């Protein structure tokens, strides 16, 4: 089998623990993401999600391990991997519009100024920022508005891989819903691959093809990969009716509530730590031929 | 009754303080007014030096009016208009200052970006920085052999440190998040320096520049007193030798006003580059 589009092999990250020793965030994490896939990662605060993402972005060097994208090793940041940072990371001396056009110019140095501004405006409008607002500085925006600028900046560049670190965390339910829909549309139209960190289980089920579950740190593991067996297009009100919805949701809640703790803190003894694939399908019709509804037991 | 705004009240109070201050000054030396006129006569006869007194503000105003209505006259080496003298001082300050900025800002960038450069250069900076700029004067005069250039050198050496240190500090303190934004957009080193690091560090750098210009203006007066020839510092010293205290007070005021304007220019630059996180 050939390597997946994005391949993470034996990724280990250690930090000094502040008392002279080393603290292992995760060890030998190994997983892949297929081209065009939408993957969400769930895990408790501090387990190492942002750390993984910084490594995928090429912003941080792992202690050991390799990340490849499209067959090439990730050795530094690239315009092909767009990032929405957890803390927005807008440049405070630039206006909202300039924060977005800054990225567009970097991506398309040959475009005319008018075209760059036009393109930037279009993506700001997509996240609901229009009119006077786009000439304000980030400090004059609300937290949710800043987050949307950061989203517009990343989306406007059409990267092959979108890395989103809790991109909707500061948004109210209504705006969040609209932008989730926009994200799904862009993703559907463009064939981009999305790797997204979230704390919201329902959001993850709505958006993802697959959810990666991380145990608590230190020695966190990407322990499970849960397939979301709900057909697309998904509609936030309709999916709760789907027979698989609550089964999947319960599994995720149960993992985060209990098993993420039970599975935590185990060193890997050098072996690659691959997530177990969990497939929950109560419809009994789809690809999974298993007749009985089942919740896969995980024995570790 | 309409309530005055904060600014209006402050302005009113400033005017009151000024007027009261001037009145007290004026009232404190009524007797010497006559003496002042006498000294004029006595100085001509060469005998009144010891009785020279502090002039009242009214006399300073008259002097200021005279000088400022014809600031650029030139009647020989010891009699030039106040505008010419200040012009010389500003020219020296700006020349020395510009040379300092040209070195301090790029060097500060380097020190701020590179921990090795910081560690290597820090001891030199720490030793050179506390030296009074005027202590360089004899060495400068000996090596440069030119009083004009020596004065400029003294300005250069005194204005370099705040700019160097603030630039290094500002550049080193740029948030990694912002640098990461540049990196994810594949900006090169130069692009990153100019579009991210420079604007991010600009408020700190300009603060250093503002401190430097203040110091430079303080130092030029002393330097010109030593070097002589032209400039506002020389003018003050020359009028003191003439025992013309009215001119001394007038030129002191001018030094203050020019210093204030230089500072105001940098304050507006500071506002232009400021940002809120
Ligand atoms: N530069 C660093 N130096 C030392 N320890 C670090 C550093 N960065 C992260 N850590 C540690 O690594 C662990 C994982 O951090 P990370 O930011 O990846 O968590 P996270 O899963 O993104 O959490 P959250 O959901 O709160 O954002 C934490 O325990 C944190 O203390
Ligand atoms: Mg995080």
């Amino acid at each position: 089998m050939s390597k997946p589009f994005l391949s993470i092999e034996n990724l280990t990250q250690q930090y000094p623990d502040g008392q002279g020793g080393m603290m292992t965030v995760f060890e030998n994490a190994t997983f892949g993401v297929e081209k065009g896939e939408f993957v969400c990662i769930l895990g408790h605060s501090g387990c190492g999600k942002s750390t993984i993402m910084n490594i995928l972005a090429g912003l941080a060097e792992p202690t050991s391990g390799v990340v490849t994208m499209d067959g090439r090793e990730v050795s530094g940041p690239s315009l092909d991997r767009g990032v929405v940072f957890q803390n927005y990371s807008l440049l405070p001396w630039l206006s909202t519009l300039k924060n977005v056009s800054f990225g567009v110019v970097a991506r398309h140095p040959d475009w005319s100024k008018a075209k760059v501004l036009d393109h930037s405006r279009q993506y700001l409008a997509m996240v609901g920022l229009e009119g006077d607002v786009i000439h304000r500085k980030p400090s004059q925006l609300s937290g949710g508005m800043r987050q949307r600028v950061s989203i517009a900046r990343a989306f406007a560049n059409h990267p092959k891989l979108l890395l989103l670190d809790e991109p909707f965390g500061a948004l109210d339910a209504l705006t969040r819903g609209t932008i989730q829909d926009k994200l799904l549309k862009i993703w559907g139209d463009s064939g981009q691959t999305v790797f997204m960190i979230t704390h919201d289980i329902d959001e993850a089920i709505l958006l993802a093809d697959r959810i990666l579950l991380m145990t608590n740190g230190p020695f966190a593991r990407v322990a499970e990969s849960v397939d979301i067996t709900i057909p697309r297009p998904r509609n936030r009100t309709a999916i709760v009716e789907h027979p698989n919805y609550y089964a999947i949701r319960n599994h995720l809640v149960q993992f985060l509530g209990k098993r993420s703790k039970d599975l935590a803190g185990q060193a890997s003894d050098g072996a690659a730590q691959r997530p177990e694939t969990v497939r929950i399908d109560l419809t009994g019709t789809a690809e999974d031929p298993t007749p009985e509804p089942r919740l896969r037991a995980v024995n570790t | 009754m309409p309530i005055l705004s904060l600014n209006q009240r402050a302005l009113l109070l400033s005017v009151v303080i000024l007027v009261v201050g001037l009145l007290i000054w004026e009232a404190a030396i009524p007797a010497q007014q006559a003496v002042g006129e006498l000294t004029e006569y006595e100085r001509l006869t060469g005998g009144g030096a010891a009785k020279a007194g502090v002039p009242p503000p009214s006399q300073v105003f008259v002097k200021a009016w005279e000088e400022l209505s014809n600031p650029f006259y030139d009647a020989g080496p010891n009699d030039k208009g106040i505008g010419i003298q200040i012009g010389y001082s500003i020219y020296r300050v700006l020349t020395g200052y510009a040379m300092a900025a040209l070195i301090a800002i790029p060097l500060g960038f380097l020190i701020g970006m590179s921990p090795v450069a910081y560690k290597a250069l820090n001891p030199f900076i720490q030793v050179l920085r506390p030296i009074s700029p005027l202590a360089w004067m004899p060495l400068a005069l000996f090596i440069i052999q030119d009083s004009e250039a020596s004065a400029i050198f003294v300005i250069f050496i005194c204005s370099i440190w705040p700019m160097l240190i603030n630039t290094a500090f500002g550049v080193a303190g740029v948030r990694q998040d912002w640098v990461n934004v540049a990196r994810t957009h594949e900006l090169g080193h130069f692009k990153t320096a100019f579009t991210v690091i420079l604007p991010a560090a600009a408020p700190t750098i300009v603060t250093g520049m503002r401190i430097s210009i203040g110091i430079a203006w303080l130092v030029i007066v002393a330097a010109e007193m030593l070097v002589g020839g032209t400039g506002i510092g020389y003018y003050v010293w020359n009028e003191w030798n003439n025992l013309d205290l009215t001119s001394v007070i007038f030129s002191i005021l001018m030094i203050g006003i020019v210093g204030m304007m230089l500072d105001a220019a940098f304050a507006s630059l500071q506002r232009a580059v400021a940002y809120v996180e």
Side-chain angles (χ1 to χ4, degrees), chain A residues 58-59 77-80 83 85 87 89-93 102-103 106 139 153 157, chain B residues 175 177-178 180-187 191 195-197 199-200 275-277:
Chain A
L59 290 168
S78 151
L79 279 164
D80 284 336
V83 190
F85 294 97
N87 54 9
S89 293
L90 301 177
L91 304 178
W93 55 89
F102 170 90
S139 59
R153 181 175 65 190
N157 271 3
Chain B
R175 290 205 3 216
D177 294 343
W178 301 335
N180 281 348
V181 170
R183 293 178 62 204
T184 51
H185 289 92
E186 290 186 29
L187 299 190
K191 259 284 182 64
T195 57
V196 176
I197 296 177
Y275 58 83
V276 190
E277 278 189 36

Side-chain angles (χ1 to χ4, degrees), chain A residues 9-283:
Chain A
E9 291 154 34
N10 292 307
L11 205 63
T12 300
Q13 179 67 59
Q14 296 179 320
Y15 284 122
D17 64 2
Q19 292 148 34
M22 293 303 272
M23 187 262 297
T24 304
V25 184
F26 45 78
E27 205 175 41
N28 292 314
T30 303
F31 61 94
V33 176
E34 295 302 333
K35 191 164 181 65
E37 215 180 1
F38 197 129
V39 172
C40 282
I41 186 160
L42 281 172
H44 283 281
S45 177
C47 67
K49 304 181 296 294
S50 296
T51 307
I52 290 187
M53 184 133 123
N54 278 331
I55 296 169
L56 296 187
L59 290 168
E61 282 272 314
T63 310
S64 65
V66 197
V67 176
T68 59
M69 184 171 106
D70 250 350
R72 266 195 305 269
E73 188 174 334
V74 169
S75 58
S78 151
L79 279 164
D80 284 336
R81 292 183 296 275
V83 190
V84 174
F85 294 97
Q86 191 165 14
N87 54 9
Y88 326 142
S89 293
L90 301 177
L91 304 178
W93 55 89
L94 295 180
S95 70
T96 297
L97 180 60
K98 291 252 175 69
N99 259 290
V100 177
S101 65
F102 170 90
V104 178
V105 171
R107 180 82 186 186
H108 304 283
D110 51 324
W111 280 12
S112 73
K113 204 171 171 205
K115 189 168 182 194
V116 166
L117 290 181
D118 208 49
H119 186 81
S120 311
R121 278 208 169 91
Q122 187 190 327
Y123 276 82
L124 280 166
M126 184 201 81
V127 294
L129 296 172
E130 284 173 287
D132 293 344
V133 186
I134 63 171
H135 299 296
R136 287 197 217 148
K137 298 275 166 68
S139 59
Q140 296 161 313
L141 302 180
S142 72
M145 289 159 110
R146 284 181 222 177
Q147 194 158 40
R148 284 186 272 158
V149 180
S150 169
I151 292 168
R153 181 175 65 190
F155 287 14
N157 271 3
H158 301 291
K160 285 187 195 159
L161 174 66
L162 265 171
L163 296 165
L164 314 176
D165 197 343
E166 291 186 48
F168 309 133
L171 302 183
D172 62 284
L174 217 61
T175 323
R176 179 186 271 245
T178 334
I179 298 186
Q180 284 168 346
D181 292 342
K182 297 271 166 58
L183 170 59
L184 280 178
K185 182 160 172 8
I186 290 178
W187 170 71
D189 294 347
S190 65
Q192 281 164 301
T193 307
V194 180
F195 184 86
M196 172 167 152
I197 297 173
T198 174
H199 276 145
D200 184 332
I201 292 178
D202 296 299
E203 173 173 273
I205 299 176
L206 174 71
L207 298 176
D209 292 321
R210 205 147 62 81
I211 297 179
L212 297 173
L213 293 172
M214 264 181 104
T215 66
N216 294 359
F219 292 103
R221 291 175 45 204
V222 181
E224 289 185 13
S225 158
V226 181
D227 290 344
I228 306 304
T229 45
I230 300 174
R232 294 182 193 268
R234 297 177 193 155
N235 171 304
R236 88 190 62 253
T237 45
I239 54 167
V240 290
E241 315 273 327
H242 195 277
N244 291 345
Y245 184 81
Y246 279 103
I248 294 172
R249 195 174 190 286
N250 286 341
H251 181 82
L252 300 177
V253 169
Q254 204 246 352
F255 181 94
L256 291 176
K258 183 161 163 23
R259 301 221 321 283
S260 65
K261 236 184 316 247
D262 300 343
L263 296 173
Q266 296 161 357
S268 66
D269 295 326
Q273 304 273 298
R274 286 174 214 282
E276 280 194 61
T277 300
V278 176
R279 188 174 175 84
I280 300 166
D281 196 349
L282 306 186
T283 55

